[in-house]
Amino acid sequence: MQLHFSPSMRSITISSTTNNGFIDLMKIKVAARHISYRTLFHTILILAFLLPFVFILTALVTLEGVNKCSSFDCLGRRLGPRLLGRVDDSGRLVRDFYKILNEVKTGELPADLKLPDSFDQLVSDMNNNQYDAKTFAFMLRGMMEKFEREIRESKFAELMNKHFAASSIPKGIHCLSLRLTDEYSSNAHARKQLPPPELLPLLSDNTYHHFILSTDNILAASVVVNSAVQSSLKPEKIVFHVITDKKTYAGMHSWFALNPPSPAVVEIKGIHQFDWLTRENVPVLEAVENQNGIRNYYHGNHIAGTNLSDTNPRKFASKLQARSPKYISLLNHLRIYLPELFPNLDKVVFLDDDVVIQRDLSPLWEIDLEGKVNGAVETCRGEDEWVMSKHFRNYFNFSHPLISNHLDPDECAWAYGMNIFDLGAWRQTNIRETYHSWLKENLRSNLTMWKLGTLPPALIAFRGHVHPIDPSWHMLGLGYQNNTNFESVKKAAVIHYNGQSKPWLPIGFEHLRPFWTKYVNYSNDFVRNCHILES
C-alpha cells in the first residue's frame, strides 16, 4: 500500500499493489486555495492513522476470496455488516433449535415416528425425507431415550451376571478341593497331624502371634498364610488357626500338610471339631440357616420384586451384594464366638480369606487398645470418598423404629477383615448376647432392619468396644473399587479384596490381581493339574 502526492500538492492518492499492477483505493482532492503546512501536517497524520485499518480490511477481503473485486464498493459490501456489528445467522439458528427442543421435551412422541438405529441412518433419513426441525428434535429425543433404556437394561444384566459369578465356585478351585480331599484319603502324608505333637503347646502360648482365619477356600487360605509368613520379620513366632467347614476339612488339611509354611505353625480345625460350637449354643444361627424366608432371600430369585425403574445400578449392586449366600454361613458368623472357641488365648488377629499381608504385622500386638475389645480401621474418613465414607446410615434402615431409637445414623462404621481382638477384655462383656438379640429382632422384622450380613449386628454389638487403628494397617475396596490408588495399595500393610471382584475370579480387576497372585504357588502339582493359571 502506497501514498502518492501530486506535484501540485492538490491531490493525494492511496493505492495497493495486486497481480495486475496498482489499484487506486482512494483519491483525495485538495481545494485550489492555499493550504497551510499545519493543515497538511494534520491531514497526513490522520491518513497515517487510517492506513493500518485500510491494510487490514484489504487483507481480509483477499483471504475471503474477494480479491477479484476491483472496486471499493465490493469491499464495502463484504465488510459493511461486520463494521456495523451484524453477525451471521448461526446464533439465531441455535436459539430457535433450543426453543424447539424445549417444546418436544415434554410432548408425546408421535405414534408413527420410526426411529433410526444409528446416526448414519438418521442423516440418511433427514436427507431423503426432508424432515422439519420439530420432527428432527422428536427423532433425537426418541433415539436418546431408546439408547438410555438399552444401556440401563444392559447394566442391570451385567450386575446380575457379576453377582452370579461372585457367588459361584470357579472350576479350578473346586477341582483343587476335590483332588486334595481324595489325597487325604489315599496319602498318609496328607493326613499327618497338624501341628506335630511337639508343637501342640504353641497353640495356646500367648507369647506367639496368633492369627485366626475362617474359610472354605483352600487357595485363598494358602495366599493369606503365605503372605503373612513371607512378610513377617519373625515368621517362627506365627501360629495360624485355620477354621473350615466339614466338607472342606480334608482338602484344607491335605494342602497344609503337604505344603507346610515353615517356620510358622498351622492348625486346621473343622467346625464339627469344636465341642462348644453346637446348635444349642448358637440357636440364632440355626434359625438363620433353616428359616425358609431367609433361605429364599439369599438363594432365591434376586431380581424378583425389584422395580428397576425406581433404583439405580449402584443401589442395585449393593442390594445384590447384600444377598450373597455367604452371609448365612456359620463360617461367616464364627468370629463372634472367638473367646469361647479359643479359651486359652488372650490376643489374636482375625483375618478374612480375601486379604493379602504385605508388611510385618507383629506391631499389632504392641498396640494398646486402652481396654477396648476390637482394634479396627474406621471407614468413615479417608481419601477415597466411596470406600471410606461409611456411617451407620449406610448399613441400617433408620425408618425402622428400633433402629432410629437406638442408633445414630452419623456414627462412624469400622472394617471387618483385619481386626485385633483382646479376648480377655471380650470375655468381660456381653457382646455375643447383644449380637444374638439384634439378630433375633432382625429375623422377627423379616430382615427390614438391615440386609448386609454380619457387619451390621457387629457394629451394634461392639459399640463402645472399638479402638481405632491407623488406616495404613488395613486398606479396603480392592474387590469393588476399580480406581483404587496404586501407590496406596503398595504401602498398605493389609489389602482387602472385599466386594464381588475377588482376585481368584474371572471378574477380578486385572491391575489389582498381581498383588494376590504373587503368593500363589503355581508350580504346585495340584494347582497345575487343576489349571489354576497365572493370568
Side-chain angles (χ1 to χ4, degrees), residues 309-491:
S309 62
D310 290 341
T311 187
N312 59 54
R314 182 171 177 178
K315 289 182 180 179
F316 185 64
S318 297
K319 289 180 179 179
L320 286 178
Q321 187 176 346
R323 297 181 73 165
S324 172
K326 72 176 183 178
Y327 290 127
I328 59 172
S329 165
L330 182 55
L331 280 175
N332 204 42
H333 289 269
L334 200 65
R335 66 196 86 189
I336 203 68
Y337 306 112
L338 293 182
E340 292 78 19
L341 300 181
F342 299 95
N344 298 318
L345 295 182
D346 296 334
K347 204 171 189 179
V348 301
V349 168
F350 184 89
L351 297 171
D352 275 351
D353 64 358
D354 53 356
V355 305
V356 173
I357 293 88
Q358 303 187 125
R359 202 166 73 217
D360 178 43
L361 298 186
S362 57
L364 291 176
W365 275 264
E366 308 300 324
I367 294 177
D368 182 7
L369 297 182
E370 300 177 359
K372 306 293 185 181
V373 172
N374 179 5
V377 168
E378 292 184 318
T379 55
C380 63
R381 56 182 67 90
E383 294 181 1
D384 192 326
E385 294 182 358
W386 190 11
V387 177
M388 302 297 286
S389 61
K390 302 295 190 297
H391 296 78
F392 274 29
R393 64 174 163 289
N394 297 104
Y395 299 97
F396 297 101
N397 174 21
F398 276 87
S399 64
H400 193 286
L402 269 179
I403 296 295
S404 59
N405 290 336
H406 290 85
L407 303 179
D408 177 4
D410 295 321
E411 189 167 343
C412 188
W414 45 267
Y416 250 164
M418 198 289 291
N419 302 83
I420 317 159
F421 289 121
D422 186 335
L423 301 185
W426 191 338
R427 295 185 185 101
Q428 308 304 314
T429 70
N430 62 346
I431 289 174
R432 176 165 58 91
E433 290 73 18
T434 303
Y435 187 92
H436 279 176
S437 65
W438 279 91
L439 268 181
K440 290 178 183 178
E441 290 295 340
N442 197 32
L443 288 174
R444 291 194 193 103
S445 71
N446 196 26
L447 300 182
T448 58
M449 295 166 66
W450 70 79
K451 299 291 187 185
L452 186 62
T454 56
L455 181 56
L459 290 175
I460 301 175
F462 282 99
R463 288 183 77 198
H465 300 289
V466 178
H467 177 78
I469 62 175
D470 193 278
S472 65
W473 284 112
H474 184 191
M475 182 177 183
L476 299 109
L478 277 72
Y480 67 88
Q481 170 60 292
N482 190 26
N483 297 323
T484 303
N485 184 280
F486 215 69
E487 291 304 316
S488 298
V489 174
K490 292 179 181 178
K491 296 176 183 177

Side-chain angles (χ1 to χ4, degrees), residues 484-504:
T484 303
N485 184 280
F486 215 69
E487 291 304 316
S488 298
V489 174
K490 292 179 181 178
K491 296 176 183 177
V494 175
I495 55 175
H496 194 170
Y497 291 85
N498 59 311
Q500 292 179 316
S501 301
K502 304 299 185 189
W504 57 82

Side-chain angles (χ1 to χ4, degrees), residues 40 67 83 110 126 201 247 281 295 312 341 343 366 427 436:
L40 181 62
N67 52 340
L83 295 176
M126 287 292 297
K247 67 177 174 57
N281 288 329
R295 293 192 65 81
N312 59 54
L341 300 181
E366 308 300 324
R427 295 185 185 101
H436 279 176

Side-chain angles (χ1 to χ4, degrees), residues 174-369:
H174 183 59
C175 165
L176 182 67
S177 180
L178 291 178
R179 286 178 178 266
L180 287 168
T181 299
D182 181 65
E183 193 73 10
Y184 183 84
S185 63
S186 59
N187 185 347
H189 290 289
R191 296 193 302 272
K192 69 181 180 182
Q193 184 175 347
L194 290 178
E198 65 273 17
L199 298 180
L200 284 175
L202 301 184
L203 298 181
S204 55
D205 188 338
N206 283 295
T207 64
Y208 281 72
H209 300 145
H210 294 267
F211 293 92
I212 298 175
L213 173 65
S214 176
T215 181
D216 61 355
N217 188 327
I218 298 171
L219 188 66
S222 73
V223 168
V224 175
V225 174
N226 288 344
S227 63
V229 172
Q230 292 180 34
S231 302
S232 176
L233 298 178
K234 294 182 179 179
E236 68 278 2
K237 298 290 289 184
I238 290 178
V239 178
F240 255 98
H241 306 267
V242 180
I243 307 172
T244 189
D245 56 18
K246 192 171 184 178
K247 67 177 174 57
T248 314
Y249 172 77
M252 189 75 75
H253 191 283
S254 293
W255 176 269
F256 286 104
L258 299 174
N259 304 279
S262 301
V265 175
V266 175
E267 173 193 32
I268 309 299
K269 295 283 283 185
I271 292 177
H272 59 288
Q273 294 176 321
F274 286 101
D275 295 333
W276 182 87
L277 202 62
T278 62
R279 293 300 179 188
E280 289 74 24
N281 288 329
V282 287
V284 175
L285 295 183
E286 183 177 22
V288 167
E289 289 187 343
N290 294 334
Q291 190 184 88
N292 287 334
I294 303 301
R295 293 192 65 81
N296 287 338
Y297 178 79
Y298 286 100
H299 292 280
N301 186 345
H302 292 174
I303 203 169
T306 301
N307 187 352
L308 298 183
S309 62
D310 290 341
T311 187
N312 59 54
R314 182 171 177 178
K315 289 182 180 179
F316 185 64
S318 297
K319 289 180 179 179
L320 286 178
Q321 187 176 346
R323 297 181 73 165
S324 172
K326 72 176 183 178
Y327 290 127
I328 59 172
S329 165
L330 182 55
L331 280 175
N332 204 42
H333 289 269
L334 200 65
R335 66 196 86 189
I336 203 68
Y337 306 112
L338 293 182
E340 292 78 19
L341 300 181
F342 299 95
N344 298 318
L345 295 182
D346 296 334
K347 204 171 189 179
V348 301
V349 168
F350 184 89
L351 297 171
D352 275 351
D353 64 358
D354 53 356
V355 305
V356 173
I357 293 88
Q358 303 187 125
R359 202 166 73 217
D360 178 43
L361 298 186
S362 57
L364 291 176
W365 275 264
E366 308 300 324
I367 294 177
D368 182 7
L369 297 182

Side-chain angles (χ1 to χ4, degrees), residues 45-234:
L45 190 63
I46 293 171
L47 290 174
F49 177 77
L50 291 175
L51 279 177
F53 294 98
V54 176
F55 174 78
I56 292 172
L57 294 178
T58 305
L60 287 173
V61 171
T62 304
L63 291 174
E64 291 187 5
V66 297
N67 52 340
K68 293 182 181 180
C69 259
S70 60
S71 68
F72 196 73
D73 178 60
C74 179
L75 179 66
R77 289 200 310 269
R78 298 288 289 179
L79 298 180
R82 289 189 178 88
L83 295 176
L84 294 174
R86 290 161 58 187
V87 296
D88 58 32
D89 290 339
S90 60
R92 181 181 59 81
L93 290 174
V94 170
R95 289 192 297 272
D96 290 345
F97 191 62
Y98 180 72
K99 182 179 179 181
I100 293 172
L101 288 177
N102 273 330
E103 290 177 3
V104 303
K105 182 170 64 174
T106 55
E108 290 290 333
L109 288 176
D112 58 344
L113 187 65
K114 185 178 180 181
L115 297 176
D117 295 323
S118 66
F119 179 76
D120 288 341
Q121 186 180 342
L122 172 65
V123 174
S124 176
D125 289 350
M126 287 292 297
N127 185 52
N128 295 334
N129 300 315
Q130 298 295 311
Y131 294 127
D132 58 27
K134 191 167 186 178
T135 303
F136 175 65
F138 269 122
M139 294 186 74
L140 279 182
R141 175 189 159 191
M143 288 179 67
M144 291 292 293
E145 291 179 353
K146 175 187 174 184
F147 293 149
E148 285 175 359
R149 285 194 303 271
E150 292 175 352
I151 292 172
R152 185 180 176 85
E153 290 169 2
S154 297
K155 186 63 178 177
F156 284 122
E158 176 194 352
L159 292 172
M160 281 299 299
N161 292 333
K162 190 173 182 179
H163 172 69
F164 291 134
S167 303
S168 64
I169 300 174
K171 183 179 179 180
I173 292 179
H174 183 59
C175 165
L176 182 67
S177 180
L178 291 178
R179 286 178 178 266
L180 287 168
T181 299
D182 181 65
E183 193 73 10
Y184 183 84
S185 63
S186 59
N187 185 347
H189 290 289
R191 296 193 302 272
K192 69 181 180 182
Q193 184 175 347
L194 290 178
E198 65 273 17
L199 298 180
L200 284 175
L202 301 184
L203 298 181
S204 55
D205 188 338
N206 283 295
T207 64
Y208 281 72
H209 300 145
H210 294 267
F211 293 92
I212 298 175
L213 173 65
S214 176
T215 181
D216 61 355
N217 188 327
I218 298 171
L219 188 66
S222 73
V223 168
V224 175
V225 174
N226 288 344
S227 63
V229 172
Q230 292 180 34
S231 302
S232 176
L233 298 178
K234 294 182 179 179

